[in-house]
Amino acid sequence: MQAGKLDRQITLQEKVETTDSFGGIVVLYNTIATVWASVNDVRGRDFLAAQQAQSELTTRFRIRYRAGLDNLTRVMWKGKRYDVIGYPKEIGRNEGIEIDAAYKGDA
C-alpha cells in the first residue's frame, strides 16, 4: 500500500447500545481510530422513494491493516456519516483493509 495514496483522514466508529436511567436503549458511537485512507467512489444511485428525491453514494475506503475492526459500523469523512456495507476486507497479507460504505443524502 503506497503511503502517497493515503491522503484523506477518516474516523472509524462502532455502535454501542447502553441503557439510560429509565431503562430505555441509548445508541452511542465510539471512535475506534482516526486513520489515513484513500477514498474512491464506487457507484452512485439516484432514486425516488415515497415522493422524495434521494441519492446514495457507495464509497470505498482503503486504510493500512488494522486488527480489531469487527464492530465497525460507520465511517466519518468530511463531516458526513457513511454506513458500512458488509464486512471490511483484507488486502494482501496484513497490508491493508478495504471498507465499503454508503452515504445517503438529499439530492
Side-chain angles (χ1 to χ4, degrees):
M1 180 157 289
Q2 297 176 349
K5 292 184 178 183
L6 305 177
D7 59 351
R8 307 283 192 256
Q9 205 164 27
I10 63 171
T11 302
L12 308 174
Q13 296 183 329
E14 66 181 345
K15 182 178 178 179
V16 178
E17 292 183 358
T18 61
T19 56
D20 61 11
S21 59
F22 299 106
I25 295 175
V26 178
V27 177
L28 302 171
Y29 288 89
N30 287 339
T31 296
I32 298 171
T34 299
V35 297
W36 290 98
S38 68
V39 180
N40 298 305
D41 292 333
V42 178
R43 67 175 177 252
R45 180 176 63 168
D46 292 328
F47 57 94
L48 194 63
Q51 297 180 354
Q52 181 179 3
Q54 297 178 348
S55 63
E56 179 180 295
L57 177 66
T58 301
T59 303
R60 181 166 290 149
F61 299 94
R62 289 185 176 179
I63 62 173
R64 291 196 183 280
Y65 180 80
R66 175 178 199 90
L69 294 182
D70 300 337
N71 296 327
L72 180 65
T73 54
R74 75 180 188 184
V75 174
M76 297 295 292
W77 179 53
K78 288 187 173 181
K80 296 178 183 172
R81 184 186 81 222
Y82 291 78
D83 297 318
V84 174
I85 302 169
Y87 192 78
K89 297 175 276 294
E90 282 190 37
I91 301 169
R93 178 177 246 164
N94 294 341
E95 182 180 339
I97 297 203
E98 200 170 78
I99 303 163
D100 289 339
Y103 170 72
K104 297 176 184 174
D106 297 329

